[in-house]
Amino acid sequence: MTSGIATPRAAGTTDATLLESARRIAATLPDRSLAIETAGTLPADLVDEFARNDLFRLAMPVALGGTGAAPETIVRIVEEVSRGDGATGWSLLIGNIGNAFLAWLDPEVARGLLADTPGMVVAGGQAPLGQAVPKPDGSGYTLTGRWPFGSGSLHAPWFMGGFIVMENGRPRTNEWGAPVMGVAHFPAAQATVDDTWHVAGLQGTGSHDIVVDGIDLPLAHTSVPYFARAPYGDPLYRLTAYNLLLTVMSGFPLGVARRALDEARRQLADRTLTGSGTPYLEDPAVQVAFLKHETALDAARRHLLGTLGELLGTLAHEESDYAERARLAAAIIHVYDVGRELVQGLFRLAGTAAALDTNPLQRCMRDLVAGSQHVAFSFDSRKRIANARLGLQTAPAFFGV
Amino acid sequence: MTSGIATPRAAGTTDATLLESARRIAATLPDRSLAIETAGTLPADLVDEFARNDLFRLAMPVALGGTGAAPETIVRIVEEVSRGDGATGWSLLIGNIGNAFLAWLDPEVARGLLADTPGMVVAGGQAPLGQAVPKPDGSGYTLTGRWPFGSGSLHAPWFMGGFIVMENGRPRTNEWGAPVMGVAHFPAAQATVDDTWHVAGLQGTGSHDIVVDGIDLPLAHTSVPYFARAPYGDPLYRLTAYNLLLTVMSGFPLGVARRALDEARRQLADRTLTGSGTPYLEDPAVQVAFLKHETALDAARRHLLGTLGELLGTLAHEESDYAERARLAAAIIHVYDVGRELVQGLFRLAGTAAALDTNPLQRCMRDLVAGSQHVAFSFDSRKRIANARLGLQTAPAFFGV
Amino acid sequence: MSVTALEKSPIEEAVRLAATLPGRALEVESGRTLPADLVDELRAAGLFSLMTPASLGGREADPLTIVRVVEELTRGDAATGWTVMIGQGAGYLAWLEPDVAREITEATPRPLITGSMAPLGTAVDAGEERIRLIGRWPYTSGCGLSDHLVAGYRPAAGPPRFALLPGAAVTVHDTWHVAGLRGTGSHDIEVTDLLLPSRLTFDPYGPAREDGPLYRLPYMSYLLVAMAGFPLGAARRIVDEYRQIVLGKRNTERTLLSETPIVQAEIARCEATVGAARAFVHEAVAQVWAQTQDGVASPQARALLTGAVQHAMRATLDVADSAMRACGASQLYDRAPLQRYFRDVQTAAQHIAFGLEAQRRVGSVLLGRDVPDFLI
Amino acid sequence: MSVTALEKSPIEEAVRLAATLPGRALEVESGRTLPADLVDELRAAGLFSLMTPASLGGREADPLTIVRVVEELTRGDAATGWTVMIGQGAGYLAWLEPDVAREITEATPRPLITGSMAPLGTAVDAGEERIRLIGRWPYTSGCGLSDHLVAGYRPAAGPPRFALLPGAAVTVHDTWHVAGLRGTGSHDIEVTDLLLPSRLTFDPYGPAREDGPLYRLPYMSYLLVAMAGFPLGAARRIVDEYRQIVLGKRNTERTLLSETPIVQAEIARCEATVGAARAFVHEAVAQVWAQTQDGVASPQARALLTGAVQHAMRATLDVADSAMRACGASQLYDRAPLQRYFRDVQTAAQHIAFGLEAQRRVGSVLLGRDVPDFLI
């Protein structure tokens, strides 16, 4: 993990090299899936390898040592790795999101943290589940909180967690009466990882609860990434934090669904119908289902990449309204929906054999269902995005587009 | 109808002009939909206007007087007109498909027909529902047949119809034991139009049965468009007849579905929930449904246009295998599927008011459901396309990709 | 009209008449309302009097019988089934004072009463126990056939009430130009400044004057009992047509559709979908009816009844779509019953009883939340 | 083991034991099979003897009772319900000669018998009325618990038969590493060169030696009666969990999920979906059973039973997915029953009884096509 990337050499890395590294690593993953799942976390050698190849620095601003990879490249890297193993793809994307949120800290502070922490990966979440009590001297807060779903908690040297500012035992409110919120960064050493991640899907991501109890939180280690963009010119940072987060997440369903197609095609070519003895793959119902899922996935993928490119293009020279920005979130939700339907449908076709853990189709199903349980795809997130799309949103929404 | 396009001036028309004409005409259509539906056919002035603006010559080879419009432009023109009125869009696309099949005649014969028939529009179908008995002197056939779904039968000066060659009262077979088939072209004056088009959807397309009883069919007026490509270099003619036909059809669901979105958005903003009094458009379930349908349509559209462009690009310098060509057909089937779901879903949301014929949402639903009943979207078509996609097709299929 | 005694059971009569309906469907549709002789036959068979009190010469049938009758007729022709279902308005005579109700049935035995429940009328007190009513009601199925019409209105004060309007006092506006249920003549009706005796008005949410258990069904359950047979009959007919088509039609490869695996699986799915919807409606109706014998059915049981009917309508849309998708372009013609049913059920499903709010109310009740009693 | 008389009805026993199961689900799952004390309790309650002939001390229960028992247990814990369903192999004692069967139950009263129907064994005649059997069968739920196992095999000549294998003669290969139904211990079993008396083999497609109507159920119907309760119990529990979660959980806007319109409509839809599936299974089982009283149920009735059970499984998958989508990331944990049921039903639905060919066979029969009798 301390693999000598203290000096950022990232900016010299081309997109092609990054993608090539991702493909190389991905090729090793199918054979390791069961072991990764059993270990319950990303193995240390893979953490190292991602770090060595700058794959945790994809979404960071170049000014902080990011690779400057094109946003589309980030999607494709996450897709490739997720195609190799879903949990590994998830660990990768979450690590990149964690590091991207360093961009909302003061640049000098962020640079300091990165300089002090060679293999920086930030784990944790933005949901305001912590309580920050201001110190009398104004230098910061005392922070207490528990954040579930801390993917990467077992390898990240720094954590983050959303919080509410408390005042006299109650949330401090802003001028609109809403609680004052922020995101805290703190060293993993100050926190406890509570072993809660016993799950069916994405088991290999070590997404335990992160817990802190009354730690010191300097002001400098807090940020407010909910509404304002981070002060960097990289294409990715033209996006709101929410769209940025979703973009980094979007390669996951693409890769897992593609893997499911690969697996199903292979398995269904081998298996025969008991009655007729013909391969499943020659059965009309199977074929029609295949055509439907493959085309829906292709369409969703193309739409995502096209929408991302268009929005970034627009934002390069003008502001964009909520309705336009919501297109990207909608396209990413769509990718998750299509992927989820695909893995469930193909799993169903593959019969009893797919019940076994050794069958990758079954893992694809569990992993993608688990990923799509993320709050970003809940009814209320969808409603928020729809509101923006329909032109009914007129003010910034908490974690809106 | 005889609007002086005997001299092809089409090639001088730019895509932008064609699209502009389509938009201008489309803008007049919403007010005419009920009348078009009641008349049961495309009104003569619209036939004229399409002809005057070269809009029936979109898909013909330039060498025969076609406009040379880019395939994507054809899709967009059909989309725009279908957004104005579904039946009109369908009449337009069918007229263009009819004219495109002139490309499989001997070029001199086709040029002759076009020179003799100023406002050429060909109606009819390729299904081999006619019987052609060879004349003893080898000069041609005696043709008898009935072809249903003859969209444009009331305005087309020429018809076409698929046939089987008969020999001693039975189909003549080729070296593989399959019936010998072809497509006949014959003047409308030699045929009867049997008034059968009493339907719920696409009522305004005049898709009656075309009937001939023992007419003379010169060899020169027959073609075999099932397997071989037509001998023209236009981008559209890089496609198989089947992919060409589907491409011209593909703007229809895009336009009708877009119209349904427009209408639903307008109507649901006006209507309020009885209980809460809030506009339907602010209801979470409505919003989430909207987001889903709009995104699925956007994705399907983008995928169609992208796939079309890619395939044409590949075919410009190399042959493409069945699996690659099947992508285009799959993308077009997907557009119809997504469109059908969209119009049914939005119709459902719009409540009792949508039951009335005056409500365009209801017509969108009927028209798009009717269009998607086309044999190109049947289970066996899908199976054929899937077979090709899966690499299981090894020989040309009747009307395959 | 002379009235003969009702000898056969309503179900027998429904089965008998339903057998004649497929042959008349195009006539019903093109006439945009039920033909007069069919109305006469239905009336003579007591099928517009299923919910009319026995004391007034009606059938006062039990709910399962009502469901079966509407189901059978709808299976014969959806527009006819719908008209008969809406045409049970004479059941509301049970809410009038007995002598007032008797006046009506003496003047017109077994009256055909339809109407519109939406409280779109407004009334002022006109003195001398009369109201002055003005209003326009859309979607009033069978309005042109009706002896009387029930119409919702808001009085000067208090909650909405229903008025029983003489057919002759009502103007019918020819508005029913539609894709589905064309034969139901569901036009707008209007009265302008109608003077009506107050005794011809009533509170449909309150207790009836008749004491049969049928009239103890709360407002919504009473309506749902009448509606429940519609989706069941339509779904049954759709699957019947589906079967017939796939047994006779070949695909482009000349294979009978019934021999193709996708269609076989879809037929199995559709039969089960329809069978399950029907079994659940019957169970839910039976439960409400059982609870009604000793009082008023629980909100839970009533919500399940509504949920069962909504589920049946979804099931019907589902099988209609499956059938259309499988059966291809040959089903586009008006002469194809499948196509008519597709339009009919698409239209029927737009009824407010199947709308967003109606579905949520069922969920609210099942989740133990408070919902105003008259909405359950 | 000592055997006490069975005093309570199987349904009472199932309800009693089911109440203890939610608290043991993690134990069942992590143990990868039912714990011994639970097996003992189920056996003592006669719940592994539902289909065992009364003449052999079994329950010989009627099909609706069998469905209810499996439903109740599955509602308590899906792996337990599944194990009990598969663990009704002692019913096949009805196909052995009575004295042979009695030998078995005298040695082990109310035996627990599971097995695998797939004809994956092969046998040769070993002389002296014995066969020599070799074979390996996958997915044999509860194999580690069984006194005997039923296994399909192909004899040297003729159609497949079943053999009754002594538990001790069978090797269990630990292969059941899965996402769902983990607690069913559905490992591979194997015998290599087992010498078995021919009297311990039988033709499960032919007539039973017992003459109770339960044993007149044709091969597939007999199996489907045992399976039918599983999806019903799982679906019921899933919707119960769904309700509990939405009544307690808030979305990011701090609104209770049960107060949001989408969830309300989904709950209504799911309750109706589950209710309809259940009502139809019960109706179909009752119809097959009624026809069985006088002989053998018709292929149509049997196909509807199969169709009803397949429909119930689809309904179960549907509500499980709806629940997961609505309830969010908090349901990812193994401790969340909803999540376990989601995995369990996804796995159960992979059973061949719900596969493509099984669905098509139902459609084929309903379309009047010929299907080999033993497949219906």
Side-chain angles (χ1 to χ4, degrees):
Chain A
M1 228 181 299
T2 54
S3 49
I5 58 163
T7 318
R9 46 159 191 163
T13 319
T14 68
D15 284 21
T17 311
L18 293 166
L19 198 50
E20 188 40 50
S21 304
R23 288 215 178 96
R24 187 173 36 74
I25 296 170
T28 70
L29 297 177
D31 288 344
R32 303 183 63 177
S33 283
L34 259 176
I36 292 170
E37 189 157 82
T38 308
T41 191
L42 189 63
D45 69 302
L46 283 174
V47 175
D48 263 7
E49 200 163 354
F50 283 147
R52 253 201 320 274
N53 289 281
D54 295 327
L55 293 176
F56 280 130
R57 294 171 165 259
L58 298 170
M60 287 164 66
V62 170
L64 294 183
T67 59
E72 173 167 342
T73 303
I74 301 175
V75 176
R76 293 174 64 199
I77 287 172
V78 173
E79 179 183 30
E80 288 294 340
V81 175
S82 301
R83 188 174 182 171
D85 178 63
T88 303
W90 189 269
S91 295
L92 175 66
L93 76 89
I94 286 287
N96 275 292
I97 290 172
N99 285 355
F101 273 85
L102 292 167
W104 275 265
L105 292 174
D106 178 276
E108 278 319 302
V109 174
R111 250 187 292 271
L113 291 186
L114 284 158
D116 294 347
T117 317
M120 177 60 103
V121 186
V122 180
Q126 303 85 33
L129 300 171
Q131 301 195 341
V133 179
K135 294 201 187 155
D137 65 1
S139 66
Y141 307 91
T142 305
L143 180 70
T144 297
R146 171 184 285 266
W147 295 268
F149 310 116
S151 303
S153 62
L154 298 180
H155 63 250
W158 275 74
F159 292 158
M160 66 176 164
F163 62 83
I164 290 175
V165 178
M166 302 300 287
E167 205 164 46
N168 305 323
R170 307 185 48 185
R172 179 188 291 173
T173 52
N174 61 20
E175 48 183 320
W176 303 283
V180 175
M181 298 181 299
V183 166
H185 283 78
F186 46 90
Q190 292 185 9
T192 311
V193 172
D194 191 4
D195 178 359
T196 53
W197 193 240
H198 303 280
V199 294
L202 294 180
Q203 211 169 310
T205 59
S207 308
H208 301 290
D209 287 12
I210 292 169
V211 185
V212 295
D213 187 8
I215 63 170
D216 274 351
L217 174 65
L219 260 186
H221 291 173
T222 68
S223 64
V224 184
Y226 304 115
F227 306 111
R229 311 233 182 126
Y232 298 96
D234 310 56
L236 200 57
Y237 286 85
R238 298 173 196 153
L239 301 175
T240 58
Y242 190 69
N243 269 346
L244 185 154
L245 177 147
L246 283 178
T247 299
V248 180
M249 288 177 76
S250 66
F252 169 76
L254 294 177
V256 177
R258 185 66 57 190
R259 174 72 177 283
L261 274 172
D262 299 343
E263 288 293 334
R265 184 165 176 163
R266 195 179 51 67
Q267 293 181 29
L268 294 172
D270 292 344
R271 286 189 55 216
T272 55
L273 291 154
T274 318
S276 62
T278 54
Y280 265 79
L281 206 59
E282 293 176 21
D283 183 83
V286 174
Q287 295 187 328
V288 169
F290 232 90
L291 188 71
K292 178 186 83 169
H293 288 305
E294 186 200 44
T295 308
L297 179 64
D298 285 349
R301 181 180 195 273
R302 196 191 287 271
H303 185 52
L304 159 68
L305 294 176
T307 306
L308 177 61
E310 283 168 8
L311 182 59
L312 291 171
T314 302
L315 291 171
H317 46 81
E318 57 182 297
E319 275 305 291
S320 194
D321 63 10
Y322 297 121
E324 208 45 44
R325 273 145 39 195
R327 269 195 199 283
L328 177 60
I332 294 165
I333 291 172
H334 186 60
V335 166
Y336 271 82
D337 284 349
V338 165
R340 181 178 179 142
E341 256 191 60
L342 182 151
V343 291
Q344 289 185 305
L346 295 182
F347 173 74
R348 256 320 251 133
L349 285 180
T352 321
L356 297 177
D357 282 347
T358 44
N359 193 313
L361 255 182
Q362 189 240 60
R363 186 175 310 102
C364 288
M365 198 270 281
R366 284 185 284 121
D367 286 349
L368 187 35
V369 167
S372 65
Q373 296 291 109
H374 192 281
V375 65
F377 312 111
S378 64
F379 291 138
D380 45 315
S381 290
R382 289 166 193 259
K383 188 181 71 174
R384 210 159 47 233
I385 305 304
N387 243 295
R389 258 317 289 145
L390 289 164
L392 299 172
Q393 185 185 325
T394 51
F398 173 67
F399 257 100
V401 290
Chain B
M1 228 182 298
T2 54
S3 49
I5 58 162
T7 318
R9 45 159 192 160
T13 320
T14 68
D15 284 20
T17 311
L18 293 166
L19 197 50
E20 187 40 51
S21 304
R23 287 215 179 95
R24 186 172 38 73
I25 296 171
T28 69
L29 296 177
D31 287 345
R32 301 184 65 176
S33 282
L34 257 176
I36 292 170
E37 187 156 82
T38 309
T41 192
L42 189 63
D45 69 302
L46 283 174
V47 176
D48 263 8
E49 199 161 355
F50 283 148
R52 252 199 322 274
N53 290 281
D54 295 326
L55 293 177
F56 280 129
R57 293 171 165 260
L58 299 170
M60 289 163 66
V62 170
L64 294 183
T67 58
E72 174 168 341
T73 304
I74 302 175
V75 176
R76 293 175 64 198
I77 287 171
V78 173
E79 179 184 30
E80 288 292 340
V81 175
S82 301
R83 189 174 182 172
D85 179 63
T88 303
W90 189 269
S91 296
L92 176 67
L93 76 88
I94 285 289
N96 275 294
I97 290 172
N99 285 356
F101 273 85
L102 292 167
W104 275 267
L105 291 174
D106 178 276
E108 277 320 301
V109 175
R111 249 187 291 273
L113 291 186
L114 284 159
D116 294 346
T117 316
M120 178 59 103
V121 186
V122 180
Q126 302 85 34
L129 299 171
Q131 301 196 339
V133 179
K135 293 201 186 156
D137 64 2
S139 67
Y141 307 91
T142 304
L143 180 71
T144 297
R146 171 184 285 267
W147 296 267
F149 310 117
S151 304
S153 62
L154 299 180
H155 62 250
W158 276 74
F159 292 158
M160 67 175 162
F163 62 82
I164 290 175
V165 178
M166 302 300 286
E167 204 163 47
N168 305 323
R170 307 186 46 186
R172 179 188 290 172
T173 51
N174 60 20
E175 50 184 319
W176 303 284
V180 174
M181 298 181 298
V183 166
H185 283 79
F186 47 89
Q190 291 184 11
T192 311
V193 172
D194 191 4
D195 177 1
T196 53
W197 193 242
H198 303 281
V199 293
L202 294 179
Q203 209 169 311
T205 59
S207 308
H208 301 290
D209 287 12
I210 292 170
V211 184
V212 296
D213 187 7
I215 64 168
D216 274 352
L217 175 64
L219 261 186
H221 291 172
T222 68
S223 65
V224 184
Y226 305 114
F227 305 110
R229 312 234 181 124
Y232 299 95
D234 310 55
L236 200 57
Y237 287 85
R238 297 172 197 154
L239 301 175
T240 59
Y242 190 68
N243 269 346
L244 184 154
L245 177 147
L246 283 178
T247 300
V248 181
M249 288 177 75
S250 66
F252 169 77
L254 295 178
V256 176
R258 185 67 55 190
R259 174 70 176 282
L261 275 172
D262 298 343
E263 288 292 334
R265 184 165 177 164
R266 193 179 52 66
Q267 292 180 29
L268 293 172
D270 292 344
R271 285 189 56 216
T272 54
L273 290 155
T274 318
S276 61
T278 54
Y280 265 78
L281 206 59
E282 293 176 21
D283 182 84
V286 173
Q287 295 187 329
V288 168
F290 231 91
L291 188 71
K292 177 185 84 168
H293 288 304
E294 186 200 43
T295 308
L297 179 64
D298 285 349
R301 182 180 193 274
R302 196 191 286 272
H303 185 52
L304 159 68
L305 293 176
T307 307
L308 177 61
E310 282 168 9
L311 182 58
L312 291 172
T314 302
L315 291 171
H317 47 80
E318 58 181 295
E319 275 307 289
S320 193
D321 64 9
Y322 296 121
E324 208 45 43
R325 273 146 40 195
R327 269 194 199 284
L328 178 59
I332 294 165
I333 291 172
H334 186 60
V335 166
Y336 270 83
D337 284 350
V338 165
R340 182 179 179 142
E341 255 190 62
L342 180 152
V343 292
Q344 289 184 305
L346 295 181
F347 173 74
R348 255 324 248 132
L349 286 181
T352 321
L356 297 178
D357 282 347
T358 43
N359 193 311
L361 255 183
Q362 189 241 61
R363 186 175 309 103
C364 288
M365 197 270 280
R366 285 185 283 120
D367 285 348
L368 187 36
V369 167
S372 66
Q373 295 291 109
H374 192 279
V375 66
F377 312 110
S378 64
F379 289 139
D380 43 317
S381 290
R382 289 166 193 258
K383 187 181 69 173
R384 211 158 45 232
I385 305 304
N387 243 295
R389 258 317 288 145
L390 289 164
L392 299 173
Q393 184 185 326
T394 52
F398 174 67
F399 257 99
V401 290
Chain C
M1 172 192 291
S2 73
V3 176
T4 53
L6 297 168
E7 289 176 0
K8 292 190 183 164
S9 79
I11 294 174
E12 285 172 307
E13 293 286 32
V15 168
R16 179 177 64 81
L17 288 172
T20 71
L21 296 178
R24 304 192 67 174
L26 276 173
E27 177 193 355
V28 171
E29 180 155 78
S30 58
R32 302 175 59 225
T33 190
L34 302 204
D37 67 308
L38 178 56
V39 172
D40 284 350
E41 280 209 85
L42 289 162
R43 188 200 290 257
L47 299 186
F48 283 116
S49 307
L50 295 170
M51 302 176 91
T52 312
S55 67
L56 299 172
R59 293 275 198 181
E60 197 174 330
D62 69 282
L64 280 172
T65 299
I66 297 167
V67 173
R68 279 292 307 282
V69 167
V70 173
E71 179 181 11
E72 289 296 336
L73 294 174
T74 304
R75 187 176 180 177
D77 177 59
T80 303
W82 186 272
T83 303
V84 168
M85 173 243 287
I86 299 293
Q88 300 302 326
Y92 281 117
L93 295 175
W95 272 260
L96 296 181
E97 291 296 340
D99 56 329
V100 179
R102 214 165 304 118
E103 232 173 77
I104 304 272
T105 54
E106 272 165 14
T108 317
R110 278 185 230 139
L112 198 178
I113 303 183
T114 65
S116 172
M117 316 297 153
L120 297 173
T122 48
V124 291
D125 192 336
E128 300 179 11
E129 308 233 312
R130 295 171 310 171
I131 60 165
R132 204 173 273 287
L133 181 68
I134 182 167
R136 179 168 174 148
W137 296 263
Y139 317 123
T140 310
S141 302
C143 57
L145 310 169
S146 306
D147 304 311
H148 301 264
L149 296 105
V150 169
Y153 72 96
R154 295 187 186 280
R161 293 175 66 80
F162 280 12
L164 189 70
L165 316 176
V170 166
T171 307
V172 172
H173 296 283
D174 182 348
T175 50
W176 190 242
H177 299 277
V178 288
L181 292 179
R182 279 184 197 156
T184 61
S186 308
H187 304 291
D188 285 16
I189 58 168
E190 186 171 27
V191 294
T192 44
D193 206 23
L194 175 69
L195 208 58
L196 196 77
S198 300
R199 64 199 163 84
L200 291 179
T201 73
F202 59 96
D203 170 11
Y205 314 111
R209 308 290 174 176
E210 285 279 339
D211 59 5
L214 186 60
Y215 310 105
R216 279 206 300 277
L217 290 172
Y219 180 72
M220 286 302 272
S221 301
Y222 184 86
L223 293 177
L224 264 300
V225 160
M227 297 194 83
F230 181 86
L232 302 184
R236 186 63 259 160
R237 176 67 179 279
I238 288 164
V239 178
D240 291 346
E241 292 291 331
Y242 195 174
R243 289 166 53 93
Q244 283 313 307
I245 294 164
V246 302
L247 285 167
K249 183 173 164 147
R250 290 174 189 277
N251 67 14
T252 54
E253 295 167 0
R254 314 292 309 144
T255 308
L256 274 176
L257 292 183
S258 61
E259 292 177 11
T260 63
I262 296 179
V263 168
Q264 289 173 347
E266 273 299 291
I267 287 281
R269 192 182 70 79
C270 288
E271 286 281 6
T273 299
V274 169
R278 185 175 193 271
F280 190 45
V281 164
H282 284 200
E283 186 178 294
V285 169
Q287 178 176 306
V288 163
W289 190 231
Q291 291 187 5
T292 301
Q293 299 312 303
D294 313 317
V296 175
S298 68
Q300 292 276 329
R302 286 146 53 195
L304 276 182
L305 168 57
T306 305
V309 178
Q310 291 169 348
H311 175 264
M313 187 54 94
R314 281 192 298 271
T316 305
L317 291 175
D318 176 1
V319 298
D321 208 50
S322 169
M324 281 296 275
R325 282 176 197 267
C327 295
S330 59
Q331 300 310 307
L332 289 178
Y333 297 101
D334 281 351
R335 63 173 184 265
L338 178 57
Q339 189 259 153
R340 184 180 326 105
Y341 271 86
F342 182 82
R343 288 183 281 120
D344 288 345
V345 300
Q346 290 279 356
T347 300
Q350 302 299 92
H351 192 280
I352 193 166
F354 307 108
L356 287 182
E357 288 180 297
Q359 295 175 51
R360 292 165 189 175
R361 268 197 302 271
V362 171
S364 289
V365 176
L366 296 178
L367 286 164
R369 306 186 56 72
D370 273 344
V371 171
D373 201 62
F374 73 95
L375 287 173
I376 310 173
Chain D
M1 172 191 294
S2 75
V3 176
T4 52
L6 297 168
E7 288 176 2
K8 290 191 185 164
S9 79
I11 294 175
E12 285 171 307
E13 293 285 31
V15 168
R16 179 178 63 82
L17 289 172
T20 70
L21 296 177
R24 305 191 67 174
L26 275 172
E27 177 193 357
V28 171
E29 181 156 78
S30 57
R32 299 174 62 226
T33 190
L34 303 203
D37 67 310
L38 179 56
V39 172
D40 284 349
E41 280 209 85
L42 289 162
R43 189 200 289 258
L47 298 186
F48 284 115
S49 308
L50 294 170
M51 302 175 92
T52 312
S55 67
L56 300 172
R59 291 277 197 181
E60 197 174 330
D62 69 282
L64 280 172
T65 298
I66 297 167
V67 173
R68 280 292 308 282
V69 168
V70 174
E71 180 181 10
E72 289 297 337
L73 294 174
T74 304
R75 187 176 180 176
D77 176 58
T80 304
W82 186 272
T83 304
V84 168
M85 174 244 287
I86 299 292
Q88 299 303 326
Y92 281 116
L93 295 175
W95 271 260
L96 295 182
E97 291 296 341
D99 56 328
V100 179
R102 213 164 306 116
E103 234 173 75
I104 305 272
T105 55
E106 271 164 16
T108 317
R110 278 186 230 140
L112 199 177
I113 303 183
T114 65
S116 171
M117 316 296 152
L120 297 174
T122 47
V124 292
D125 192 336
E128 300 177 13
E129 308 233 313
R130 295 171 310 172
I131 61 166
R132 204 174 276 286
L133 181 68
I134 182 168
R136 180 169 175 147
W137 296 263
Y139 316 125
T140 310
S141 302
C143 59
L145 311 169
S146 305
D147 304 310
H148 301 263
L149 295 106
V150 168
Y153 73 96
R154 294 186 186 280
R161 293 176 64 82
F162 281 11
L164 189 70
L165 317 175
V170 165
T171 307
V172 172
H173 296 282
D174 181 348
T175 51
W176 192 240
H177 299 275
V178 290
L181 292 179
R182 278 183 197 156
T184 61
S186 308
H187 304 291
D188 286 15
I189 59 169
E190 185 171 27
V191 295
T192 46
D193 206 23
L194 175 68
L195 208 58
L196 197 75
S198 300
R199 63 198 163 87
L200 290 179
T201 74
F202 59 95
D203 170 12
Y205 313 112
R209 309 289 174 178
E210 284 279 338
D211 60 4
L214 186 61
Y215 310 106
R216 280 207 300 278
L217 289 173
Y219 180 72
M220 286 303 273
S221 300
Y222 183 86
L223 294 177
L224 264 300
V225 160
M227 298 193 83
F230 181 84
L232 302 184
R236 185 64 259 159
R237 176 69 178 279
I238 288 164
V239 178
D240 291 346
E241 292 291 332
Y242 194 174
R243 289 164 54 92
Q244 283 314 308
I245 295 165
V246 303
L247 284 168
K249 183 174 165 146
R250 292 175 188 275
N251 66 15
T252 53
E253 295 166 0
R254 311 295 308 147
T255 309
L256 274 176
L257 291 182
S258 61
E259 291 176 13
T260 63
I262 295 179
V263 168
Q264 290 174 346
E266 274 298 292
I267 287 282
R269 192 181 70 78
C270 289
E271 286 281 7
T273 299
V274 170
R278 184 174 196 270
F280 190 46
V281 164
H282 284 198
E283 185 179 293
V285 169
Q287 178 176 305
V288 163
W289 190 232
Q291 290 186 7
T292 302
Q293 299 313 304
D294 313 317
V296 176
S298 68
Q300 291 277 328
R302 286 143 56 193
L304 276 182
L305 168 56
T306 307
V309 178
Q310 291 170 349
H311 175 264
M313 187 53 95
R314 281 192 298 271
T316 305
L317 291 175
D318 177 0
V319 298
D321 207 49
S322 170
M324 281 295 276
R325 283 176 196 267
C327 295
S330 59
Q331 299 310 307
L332 290 177
Y333 297 101
D334 281 349
R335 63 172 183 266
L338 178 58
Q339 190 258 154
R340 184 181 327 105
Y341 271 85
F342 182 82
R343 289 182 282 119
D344 288 344
V345 301
Q346 290 279 355
T347 300
Q350 302 300 91
H351 192 279
I352 193 166
F354 307 108
L356 287 181
E357 287 180 297
Q359 295 175 52
R360 291 165 190 175
R361 269 198 301 273
V362 171
S364 289
V365 176
L366 296 178
L367 285 163
R369 307 186 56 73
D370 273 345
V371 170
D373 201 60
F374 73 95
L375 287 173
I376 310 173

